[in-house]
Amino acid sequence: MAGLWPSVPRTLALASLQLGAPAGLCPGRSSLRFCSLSAEAPGQRPAASCARVGASAVGVLLVAGQRRLRLRRCRRQIRHACLGHVLEGQEVLIEAVEGLSVAEGRVVEIREVSPGPGLQTRHFSLRCHGGSTFLVKVGRGPVTTFQAEKAGLEALAAASNGLGLVVPAPHTLGEMPEGRGSFLVMDFLRFIPFGPSIPEVVEKLGQSLALLHGSAVPLVTSSGAKSDWNQPYGFEGGLQTFLSAWPQDNSPESDFAEFFVQRRLRPQLEAASLKFQFRYGTSNEDSTALARLYTRVLKGAEEALEPVRHCKPSLLHGDLWTGNTGATQSRQPILVDPACWVGHAEFDLAVSQLFGKFPARFYDAYFEVAPKEPGFQERQNVYMLYHLLNQANLHGAGLGHGGTPENPGGYLEQAIAAMERLAKA
């Protein structure tokens, strides 16, 4: 690449590099045009000669007086283009990774590694020259969503230290240009295929999760400073976290039953009642059931949670199912994509019983460390209702809508079935 740069002192070089360039600038081209403009004498129109170097476009002007600084900028932009165009504004991600103290040289490869369609985020791996690789998640939402995930990853890493769980270390976050969302940079972990189904991994995960729930909640902020947060339930500083796209109110509370009913269940019930009151693709009976059962469900939930009103506070992953776990090459269980808060340990077992269920050995291993307590299944019904309402509020009545009372199909019908059980309890 060095041979492309002119060496005469009074040479002007113009390069254009199109990474999502505005319409009209090199339209339809995927190559970079390098132009050297040689000025023969002051005031004389320079003669231009151009060569195409493989990349695409914007303009960087290299002036003789500041040649070294501008050369570095131009080389960096050309290198970004040569990495390939996988995302609008990807140069921001590259610069964020290269700015990390743990990055081993410049980024030499960027590729998309999103697990599949339908996700709210896209995933990219960025590999540096020295071999270090980072995962960058890019989402359409504000940076606050990734602030919550970063805090959750840090809290999980601190609490699970020495327990046999692997949590990717988050490094930095930021906003994409032109309001195109935000991003989070973390360590890239290599998952082995079907990790959550390997008996050895499943057993370790169950045991380690129970130990995590039994550990003290780390009261440190993301900056490493000691926290004055002293309420047992919620999250440090009342930081709002997100279950998928649903914002979770983590204002601290000393009564867990009160916290869960008021901060978790009531907002979901109110949103679902409003959303489905005009049927929204459901039967008339389903659309009125939410309002009909509303008061009795809240009362039934509080009664079911009475024995754990002052339970031991546990740091929760918050969205624990097989899709948010994995295994390293050495078969250590991995936890990713948390929706952390501090509450009752049993909550983390609920969502996996609805979708993405673990093999039986996971639950057996968990209960060997933390045995079931009386009323376990009644409380699971309350926690599962929260997840079902969350899915219905975010995604509608759900696949399988139209099932029978004996075998309810979609999210809403399953939620109503759980509400009926609570109302009768």
Side-chain angles (χ1 to χ4, degrees):
M1 186 71 79
L4 294 170
W5 305 102
S7 57
V8 290
R10 300 189 60 192
T11 295
L12 301 177
L14 178 66
S16 67
L17 176 68
Q18 185 183 0
L19 292 174
L25 178 61
C26 302
R29 298 193 179 181
S30 59
S31 62
L32 177 90
R33 187 174 293 277
F34 179 89
C35 305
S36 66
L37 308 177
S38 302
E40 301 300 331
Q44 184 177 346
R45 183 180 180 87
S49 63
C50 296
R52 186 169 296 174
V53 266
S56 73
V58 218
V60 176
L61 184 64
L62 305 179
V63 185
Q66 300 178 340
R67 198 171 70 177
R68 289 185 181 178
L69 175 62
R70 300 291 176 87
L71 276 172
R72 282 198 298 269
R73 289 177 181 170
C74 193
R75 282 172 173 155
R76 183 175 68 245
Q77 290 186 318
I78 290 175
R79 187 174 57 81
H80 289 179
C82 291
L83 287 171
H85 178 76
V86 297
L87 178 71
E88 298 292 337
Q90 67 187 33
E91 64 275 13
V92 173
L93 309 183
I94 295 169
E95 290 170 8
V97 167
E98 292 179 344
L100 299 175
S101 60
V102 291
E104 299 173 337
R106 291 185 168 185
V107 172
V108 295
E109 179 186 68
I110 177 171
R111 60 192 180 92
E112 183 160 10
V113 291
S114 300
L119 299 177
Q120 296 174 352
T121 57
R122 294 175 66 186
H123 298 189
F124 301 87
S125 72
L126 278 75
R127 182 172 59 84
C128 296
H129 182 265
S132 57
T133 305
F134 299 89
L135 178 72
V136 183
K137 296 178 66 173
V138 179
R140 292 188 292 269
V143 74
T144 51
T145 59
F146 284 134
Q147 287 172 342
E149 182 171 348
K150 183 173 184 288
L153 289 170
E154 290 169 339
L156 281 175
S160 64
N161 185 30
L163 300 182
L165 292 170
V166 178
V167 180
H171 293 289
T172 188
L173 45 74
E175 296 180 339
M176 297 296 288
E178 301 178 10
R180 288 197 291 261
S182 54
F183 66 88
L184 172 64
V185 181
M186 66 184 76
D187 285 346
F188 182 87
L189 300 179
R190 297 190 182 280
F191 285 41
I192 58 175
F194 308 108
S197 65
I198 298 173
E200 177 186 355
V201 174
V202 166
E203 183 171 353
K204 286 180 183 177
L205 178 60
Q207 292 171 343
S208 298
L209 182 68
L211 292 171
L212 170 67
H213 288 160
S215 302
V217 176
L219 297 182
V220 291
T221 64
S222 58
S223 64
K226 289 289 184 183
S227 168
D228 59 1
W229 181 70
N230 56 12
Q231 295 290 347
Y233 313 114
F235 202 54
E236 193 171 338
L239 178 68
Q240 185 182 69
T241 54
F242 295 83
L243 180 60
S244 294
W246 182 268
Q248 299 186 122
D249 179 1
N250 289 313
S251 302
E253 173 61 63
S254 59
D255 182 319
F256 177 72
E258 177 75 8
F259 175 88
F260 194 84
V261 169
Q262 300 302 328
R263 307 267 202 279
R264 292 291 182 267
L265 204 53
R266 183 187 290 276
Q268 293 280 9
L269 278 169
E270 289 177 348
S273 297
L274 182 64
K275 179 171 186 172
F276 295 102
Q277 66 177 327
F278 300 113
R279 298 182 61 175
Y280 195 76
T282 66
S283 69
N284 189 59
E285 183 179 353
D286 286 345
S287 65
T288 58
L290 294 164
R292 175 173 55 85
L293 297 170
Y294 180 92
T295 303
R296 284 188 289 161
V297 164
L298 293 179
K299 183 175 182 295
E302 190 155 359
E303 291 174 355
L305 298 179
E306 178 63 34
V308 296
R309 187 177 291 275
H310 300 292
C311 63
K312 180 195 180 305
S314 297
L315 178 64
L316 306 174
H317 178 282
D319 192 14
L320 190 70
W321 61 291
T322 53
N324 286 341
T325 63
T328 65
Q329 301 290 329
S330 59
R331 299 196 171 189
Q332 294 298 307
I334 301 172
L335 295 180
V336 296
D337 295 344
C340 286
W341 54 286
V342 176
H344 186 213
E346 292 173 355
F347 178 85
D348 261 351
L349 303 178
V351 67
S352 68
Q353 298 189 58
L354 294 169
F355 14 77
K357 189 168 185 175
F358 294 104
R361 185 58 194 141
F362 164 81
Y363 304 98
D364 292 343
Y366 182 94
F367 293 126
E368 286 170 5
V369 177
K372 282 185 185 180
E373 296 181 355
F376 171 82
Q377 198 52 54
E378 289 75 11
R379 293 187 293 274
Q380 287 293 286
N381 192 41
V382 176
Y383 302 148
M384 286 190 283
L385 174 59
Y386 173 68
H387 285 289
L388 288 167
L389 288 170
N390 183 65
Q391 293 294 320
N393 281 322
L394 292 177
H395 308 300
L399 295 174
H401 173 65
T404 66
E406 295 76 22
N407 185 24
Y411 303 132
L412 180 62
E413 289 161 323
Q414 291 183 63
I416 292 172
M419 292 171 67
E420 293 280 8
R421 290 193 295 271
L422 265 179
K424 292 175 182 177

